[in-house]
């Protein structure tokens, strides 16, 4: 049996966080689900993660600013940004971005499998 891939899932919407974490745990992922940006930053800085998933659910809420701060941090893991609200601008910091309310779990799982296959290391400044 293959070991589960450790990923971080951050979303300020607890209902969406719970359902997404449940769906990811049915796949080969060991999910650390957090709804607090400070906890997300601390977990992202750990060496145990393979990938991070940040979900922005509601347009114009405080979580958007917190995601900006997370994306601007010097993270050493690939980051998938799921912008369901469609109002986040700093996409250059994310490794992959999925936009819109029509983003499905299949989209997230596909993007996650691509990002988890990447080599770990510091991002290049581009």
């Amino acid at each position: 049996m293959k070991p589960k891939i450790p990923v971080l899932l951050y979303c300020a919407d607890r209902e969406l966080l719970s359902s997404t974490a449940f769906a990811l745990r049915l796949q080969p992922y060991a999910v650390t689900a957090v709804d607090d940006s400070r906890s997300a930053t601390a977990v992202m800085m750990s060496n145990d993660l393979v990938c991070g998933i940040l979900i922005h659910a509601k347009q114009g809420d405080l979580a958007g600013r917190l995601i900006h701060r997370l994306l601007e941090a010097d993270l050493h893991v690939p980051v998938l940004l799921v912008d369901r609200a469609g109002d986040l601008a700093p996409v250059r910091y994310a490794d992959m971005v999925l936009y819109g309310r029509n983003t499905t779990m299949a989209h997230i799982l596909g993007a996650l499998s691509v990002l988890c296959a990447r080599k770990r290391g510091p991002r290049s400044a581009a």
Side-chain angles (χ1 to χ4, degrees), residues 63-104:
R65 290 189 207 145
L66 298 175
I67 288 176
H68 279 260
R69 289 188 185 134
L70 283 171
L71 288 172
E72 291 171 348
D74 185 25
L75 306 173
H76 296 282
V77 296
V79 176
L80 169 63
L81 172 62
V82 181
D83 187 7
R84 294 174 55 97
D87 67 346
L88 291 180
V91 296
R92 66 181 180 182
Y93 297 111
D95 295 286
M96 191 176 289
V97 180
L98 299 175
Y99 277 112
R101 289 218 157 283
N102 295 331
T103 302
T104 65

Side-chain angles (χ1 to χ4, degrees), residues 21-39:
F22 177 78
L24 288 171
R25 287 181 181 125
L26 294 175
Q27 302 299 317
Y29 300 107
V31 180
T32 302
V34 294
D35 62 355
D36 174 69
S37 66
R38 288 185 184 160
S39 299

